[in-house]
Amino acid sequence: MTERVEPPSPSREGITVESSKYVVIGAGLVGSATAWHLASAGQEVTLLERDVPASNHGSSHGSSRIFRFAYPDETYANLAKVAAPLWSHLERESGQSLLQQVGGVDFGTERNPRQLAAVLDRVGVEHRIIEIDEARERWPQYALDTEVLWQPTAGVVNPAKAVDAMVGLAAKAGAQALTGWQVASVTPASTTGYVVTSSRGEQIHAAEVVVAAGSWLPHILPRLPLPKGFLDALPTFEVRQEQTFHFPYEKPREDADWPTHIHIFKEITTTRMVYALPGGEGVENRALKVALFNGGKVLPSAAQQDGIVDAANRDWVTRYVERHVPGVVPEPFAESTCLFTNTPTEDFVIERVDGITLVSACSGHGAKFAPLTGLLASGITTGNGTVPDAFRVQR
Ligand SMILES: Cc1cc2nc3c(=O)[nH]c(=O)nc-3n(C[C@H](O)[C@H](O)[C@H](O)COP(=O)(O)OP(=O)(O)OC[C@H]3O[C@@H](n4cnc5c(N)ncnc54)[C@H](O)[C@@H]3O)c2cc1C
């Protein structure tokens, strides 16, 4: 769909200059969802990815993320309710199975299951509080410390498969996806719109640019022509190199139901959050994936990641499993790193200024909303939609 046109400024030999009404930077969950929605609406889109879609160095690789409705904040519970049918839509359109409903439990002295239940009552999502004795009987694989909130329609989404599905659907609708295309800068064009330049010097002219660069956002921000007032109003983006571990089930998985779990508790004076979910493709019947939320080191941006698992983190998670998850063998057989891009409030950012839309939907909980995030981002980019106030940059 992207046509070749006269370059907006003199081009050097060997450098391709193209034009696309919309350029989306980054083919993780957010960028691929945005490109899919833009292309499906008949827009001309080019998706640029420095590596490959769902890059192993980004946040959307692998095959398992928790899909849950339970949030203390009604905005996100409502958004999860809106996102659920969009996952079904994506599954139908792509012919892929992307969301597996295994149910979810939330518990712990600091998780407040009853407050979560009150939110789900208001939002209208099926749930039940299960008293501690009944819960211990039902899920003996956990050493539960409180009553639990049970959400039967929670589950696990497959991020890498979802990215592939959305890039495929975007391409089917006419979008162009370029891989190995690292955006080095975005500069105002001499006429109107922007020139997006790669690290190799290729250029694409765009009327509008969507930046969905995940944990590279702090790296790319200074390379975008954004007004100072807007930059000053942005929240701080904290990048963390997180780590996840796979522990083998004691018994075959068919002998126990393994819902996703979120456990928040006090360790002396520190509040800890641990999440766990059935491992994804390849290990789904063999292992539980467990991680300490925000347990990884802080980096300036994704550009500084080293992919090295921290031994102290591994030890902490292993000790947690020994105490709290008797249904698995406390010896991880696989581990990986992945990046969080956090805002101080854990709210997402979706904002447009002067034809540039910034989308940062992570804080460790963005995967479940992906098809909706893309819809919101494409809506604000084309001027045909709005986003929740919590995602706007207050100037
Ligand atoms: C360990 C872990 C566990 C998680 N668990 C959950 C969970 O259980 N539930 C949940 O809902 N969410 C979860 N999340 C969060 C969720 O995975 C993220 O919100 C989501 O993947 C963010 O996607 P993204 O597209 O913003 O970023 P990314 O997937 O990182 O995509 C950004 C892309 O931009 C590309 N890029 C960057 N700079 C450039 C450039 N200059 N030029 C071209 N391309 C560029 C990158 O290569 C990358 O592919 C988890 C995240 C992690 C890391």
Side-chain angles (χ1 to χ4, degrees):
M1 182 155 193
T2 303
E3 61 191 288
R4 278 171 203 280
V5 295
E6 281 305 304
S9 54
S11 71
R12 283 181 282 129
E13 216 179 294
I15 294 182
T16 314
V17 182
E18 294 182 287
S19 147
S20 178
K21 183 165 183 197
Y22 295 97
V23 158
V24 178
I25 302 172
L29 279 166
V30 171
S32 61
T34 308
W36 169 43
H37 285 293
L38 283 170
S40 302
Q43 303 292 354
E44 184 191 42
V45 188
T46 297
L47 177 61
L48 302 176
E49 168 53 51
R50 56 180 285 285
D51 186 16
V52 292
S55 166
N56 276 339
H57 305 290
S59 307
S60 307
H61 61 86
S63 53
S64 57
R65 299 285 188 276
I66 294 176
F67 181 93
R68 66 183 153 96
F69 300 92
Y71 272 90
D73 180 339
E74 211 168 307
T75 301
Y76 288 93
N78 262 314
L79 290 171
K81 194 178 166 191
V82 178
L86 292 176
W87 278 103
S88 306
H89 173 63
L90 176 57
E91 287 184 315
R92 277 193 308 277
E93 290 287 297
S94 64
Q96 299 285 335
S97 169
L98 302 170
L99 198 169
Q100 199 195 353
Q101 276 187 1
V102 296
V105 290
D106 289 67
F107 57 95
T109 51
E110 309 303 306
R111 186 54 170 159
N112 203 341
R114 286 198 185 250
Q115 188 213 347
L116 296 172
V119 172
L120 295 187
D121 271 337
R122 291 198 292 277
V123 171
V125 169
E126 190 183 352
H127 66 280
R128 189 157 79 86
I129 290 287
I130 302 186
E131 300 294 342
I132 188 163
D133 290 343
E134 183 189 340
R136 281 178 175 157
E137 203 173 313
R138 178 161 172 185
W139 294 291
Q141 67 268 37
Y142 296 126
L144 297 167
D145 52 358
T146 63
E147 62 190 2
V148 311
L149 172 82
W150 163 240
Q151 309 156 77
T153 50
V156 178
V157 291
N158 185 323
K161 214 166 158 186
V163 169
D164 276 353
M166 293 188 287
V167 171
L169 289 171
K172 202 169 150 195
Q176 173 178 239
L178 301 178
T179 55
W181 213 104
Q182 177 165 344
V183 174
S185 68
V186 178
T187 49
S190 52
T191 49
T192 170
Y194 295 99
V195 177
V196 183
T197 305
S198 81
S199 49
R200 290 190 301 255
E202 298 120 313
Q203 293 187 322
I204 297 182
H205 180 264
E208 297 264 342
V209 177
V210 179
V211 182
S215 295
W216 283 263
L217 187 57
H219 179 77
I220 202 171
L221 270 178
R223 293 159 176 84
L224 303 173
L226 291 169
K228 183 174 179 315
F230 178 76
L231 287 170
D232 289 345
L234 282 174
T236 314
F237 295 103
E238 177 199 70
V239 173
R240 272 185 191 265
Q241 183 171 281
E242 295 285 291
Q243 32 242 307
T244 61
F245 304 92
H246 281 86
F247 294 89
Y249 298 125
E250 281 276 5
K251 294 184 188 154
R253 181 174 169 199
E254 306 81 62
D255 292 354
D257 72 306
W258 282 96
T260 66
H261 101 223
I262 292 193
H263 180 201
I264 310 187
F265 59 101
K266 272 259 193 282
E267 187 184 48
I268 312 176
T269 53
T270 309
T271 301
R272 302 282 194 195
M273 170 168 157
V274 172
Y275 62 95
L277 60 161
E281 275 173 4
V283 294
E284 55 267 74
N285 291 319
R286 287 196 294 128
L288 187 72
K289 173 172 153 181
V290 188
L292 171 64
F293 190 80
N294 277 333
K297 64 182 172 189
V298 175
L299 308 172
S301 90
Q304 287 78 27
Q305 66 186 302
D306 58 20
I308 297 170
V309 171
D310 171 19
N313 186 289
R314 184 192 301 115
D315 288 349
W316 190 94
V317 174
T318 304
R319 271 189 291 110
Y320 170 86
V321 159
E322 262 167 7
R323 275 179 284 143
H324 296 279
V325 197
V328 298
V329 181
E331 287 164 25
F333 70 87
E335 55 193 24
S336 70
T337 63
C338 185
L339 301 173
F340 277 6
T341 313
N342 295 329
T343 59
T345 56
E346 297 187 2
D347 283 320
F348 303 153
V349 172
I350 306 181
E351 186 59 283
R352 174 171 177 256
V353 60
D354 299 344
I356 297 181
T357 302
L358 284 193
V359 196
S360 179
C362 185
S363 289
H365 67 116
K368 69 182 70 57
F369 303 104
L372 174 61
T373 309
L375 190 61
L376 294 172
S378 67
I380 198 173
T381 300
T382 55
N384 294 324
T386 56
V387 301
D389 284 346
F391 300 176
R392 306 298 303 253
V393 177
Q394 304 301 330
R395 278 161 281 169

